[in-house]
Structures are given as structure tokens and as C-alpha cells.
Amino acid sequence: MPQFYLRGFSDGDQIGTVRLPGVHRFTQSVRKAAAENGFYDVDGHDDGPDAFEKLLSGIEGEAATVPSKIDRGVWPLEKGDRDLLAFFAALQAVRGPDQRRNMEYIAAQFARLEIGHGGRANVASWAKRRHGVDISDEQAEIIWQQVTQPGGPPIRIRPDSHIEQMATLVDELFPYLAGRPWTLVRFERRSLFTCDTPIGLVPQPDDDPWSGVGFMTAWGITFPLTRKLGLIMSDPMPVIESGVKVEVTRAGRLDHAEPGSVKLQRFFNDLTISSAGHWIYHHPDDADVVPADLPDPRSVTMGMSGADHEFTGEPTFGIGGRPDAEAVATQQSAERSSDDPGDRLGET
């Protein structure tokens, strides 16, 4: 996470840190919080392994100017600053370890389903068909044991694959952020905290508790900007149904501000807790704002129906264990996120 963002919740260089489920609570330097060395390193890149990290630093430098303007009383934002903040929010939603873990989870589940349904006897033919390699029976048994365990095989997504997906997802998410009416909430006596995945999704009021929520379907999207500033990107449907053009919304003409309240503080902070993967960050003076009872950490923030299916070793589809066309298309789609992109980072 960017240091400039965390400083909005710090006291100088110090920020309160809570590791879920809340047993470990301590204060540390902003420079050490939410940092992982080499997370975006791409070995062999022409501009050095830290080329993407440098690109992110440039984006963060531009984005850092927007909360400062808001803090000085600028609201609504000019369209350029509004677009920059929407872009930064989309980037925060997909740049972290949670997104990479999600990619690994999905790739593992697709591999588990394809190989598991193909059956133990077809593991060697799968390796030859998919990867062009001949494997021994002992290697086939290891693969079978790994892919049919509940969590699937131990797949690791490389930084370059994550970066490639990140570039695509930011462009796809941006309209669902910029195209919503925005409400800025300013707090005086109350305070907000943030987390390692600070973009919160608010489900529609009539959604079933078990149904998922995404950027397109969410009633609202929250983003705690600083300790005293919170952003709500609200439901665009009433605006669309009233005939207001999206350009009007994108220009910020429907944006407004309102003072913070106990209810709004709870609204933001509850969503921050539910969005958090492993860490919560707060101003050292706000330790009592973070509840004592917190959820367990979440390594993966999505799930797949049918992923817990138990495999017997017998093929369950196709001839000779070969998957049908739909399964092949699904697997190939999953592999795009883990194939070697070569020099495509420069294109991205």
C-alpha cells in the first residue's frame, strides 16, 4: 500500500496496526506497514526488475495530490482529479496480495477440476496434452494427490502475470467507480481506520445474504481516504433511470458532501473490517475505535461452487478422460493468467 495513503491514518511516521483476528496490536513505522519487498519484481525486464514499482510510484505521486486538495476544502473535484481518484481506487482494489492469492486459488481450482474429472489414469496424457511433457507414473501420482486435495495444487502466480491482469482489471473497474454519484463524508470528532484491502462493496438491500457482490452489482462502494475523510460511491441506477447522462455523473455534478456521524462512522468501519484480508491500520490515538472482536484473516476473498467435489480416480466426463469443449475453454481462460507473458509487460 502507498505510504502517502497510510499517512492519512498515521501520527507522523507511526501507525497503529492490528493483525486479524486482533490478538496482535502494535505501532510501527509507516515505511514498514503494508510493505513486501520484491512483490512486483519482474526478472529480466529491460528497465530492471523494479520497473513496475517505479511506474506505481509515479501514479501514486499524482494520486497523492487529490486527498490533499479534498482536505483543504476542494469539493466537488474537477473531472481530472476525480478520474485520477477513481483510477487510484480501482488500482487499490487489484494490486495487493489478496488479488494474487485469488488468482492462485482460481487457477488451482480449475486445475483440480480438469485433472480430477479426467481421472487418475489420464494424468500423464493431461501433462502431455497441456504442457508437452512426458512424466513418470511417480510424477503422475504426485500431481494426482496435489490436485485432488481440498485446496487444489500449490500454484504460484508470478508477478508479471499479476501485473498483466492488474492492467486489464483497472481499466474494466474504472467505469463502475467513476460512473457513480460520490458522497464525501467529513468527520470531526469521529475517526475512520483502513485495512490492506480498503475498497468496500455494499450489497443491494434486497440481495440474499449468500449471494456475492461485485463492482457492477454493488449498491455502494466505500473508500476511507484519510482518518477524517470517507468516500461513498453510491448506487447509479436511480440516476440512470431518471435520464441523467453518464457524462454528467462522470463530471462530478451530482457529487456532494455531508458531515460525519456515529452511524456513518460505523458504516465505514464495519465495511473496512469485512473487507480486510489480514491487517487493519489506524491512527495511534484511535486504538479504541477498532473493535476487540474481529474476524479471522482471509487468504482468499472469493469461492467456487463445486470446488469441494471429491474425486474417485475414475474419469467423469469425455472419452478417455478428455474434458469437453466447455471445460477446455474454461481451463485455457484460467491459464492465460499464469502463462509466461514474455515481453508483454512493456506492452501493458
Side-chain angles (χ1 to χ4, degrees), residues 23 48 56 59-60 63 104 112 140 193 323 342 346:
V23 177
L56 279 180
I59 296 172
E60 292 165 5
E104 292 168 346
R112 182 175 186 271
F193 48 77

Side-chain angles (χ1 to χ4, degrees), residues 15-133:
I15 191 166
T17 305
V18 180
R19 182 167 189 170
L20 298 180
V23 177
H24 301 289
R25 302 176 182 233
F26 53 93
T27 300
Q28 64 176 326
S29 167
V30 169
R31 291 172 295 175
K32 295 181 178 180
E36 183 175 332
N37 291 332
F39 185 72
Y40 301 112
D41 280 3
V42 179
D43 294 335
H45 193 278
D46 291 343
D47 296 326
D50 61 345
F52 188 71
E53 189 71 56
K54 293 176 181 176
L55 175 63
L56 279 180
S57 296
I59 296 172
E60 292 165 5
E62 295 180 25
T65 64
V66 182
S68 297
K69 291 180 180 179
I70 298 173
D71 195 46
R72 294 196 302 268
V74 177
W75 192 265
L77 296 170
E78 295 182 357
K79 186 178 182 302
D81 287 336
R82 193 180 191 276
D83 283 351
L84 183 55
L85 185 55
F87 181 89
F88 177 69
L91 181 62
Q92 285 304 118
V94 299
R95 68 181 286 179
D98 62 306
Q99 180 65 19
R100 193 173 298 179
R101 290 191 296 264
N102 285 338
M103 293 173 66
E104 292 168 346
Y105 169 80
I106 292 297
Q109 296 311 311
F110 277 130
R112 182 175 186 271
L113 291 173
E114 181 184 15
I115 300 174
H117 281 297
R120 169 63 181 84
N122 292 284
V123 173
S125 63
W126 169 86
K128 183 68 173 179
R129 184 175 68 253
R130 284 283 179 229
H131 302 287
V133 297

Side-chain angles (χ1 to χ4, degrees), residues 158-294:
R158 296 187 307 273
D160 48 4
S161 297
H162 183 190
I163 291 168
E164 185 178 23
Q165 189 199 69
M166 196 187 313
T168 299
L169 288 180
V170 168
D171 284 343
E172 292 178 351
L173 293 179
F174 175 82
Y176 297 113
L177 301 173
R180 292 171 175 264
W182 288 8
T183 300
L184 177 71
V185 183
R186 295 183 180 273
F187 293 88
E188 294 185 3
R189 293 182 298 171
R190 309 290 172 181
S191 296
L192 303 179
F193 48 77
T194 191
C195 68
D196 49 0
T197 52
I199 308 301
L201 301 179
V202 186
Q204 296 287 343
D206 55 353
D207 281 354
D208 293 317
W210 48 263
S211 65
V213 57
F215 282 83
M216 184 174 67
T217 61
W219 173 88
I221 300 171
T222 62
F223 188 14
L225 298 177
T226 70
R227 180 192 182 201
K228 298 295 183 181
L229 296 173
L231 180 63
I232 302 174
M233 307 174 204
S234 58
D235 189 359
M237 292 310 299
V239 176
I240 295 173
E241 292 170 355
S242 66
V244 177
K245 294 183 178 180
V246 68
E247 291 81 6
V248 174
T249 305
R250 284 280 305 272
R253 296 177 189 171
L254 304 181
D255 296 352
H256 71 284
E258 62 180 79
S261 63
V262 174
K263 185 176 181 179
L264 282 170
Q265 179 197 39
R266 186 179 301 114
F267 175 73
F268 272 99
N269 288 343
D270 285 352
L271 275 165
T272 296
I273 291 172
S274 65
S275 301
H278 290 80
W279 301 96
I280 287 175
Y281 303 101
H282 62 86
H283 190 281
D285 292 344
D286 297 335
D288 59 339
V289 177
V290 182
D293 186 17
L294 294 171

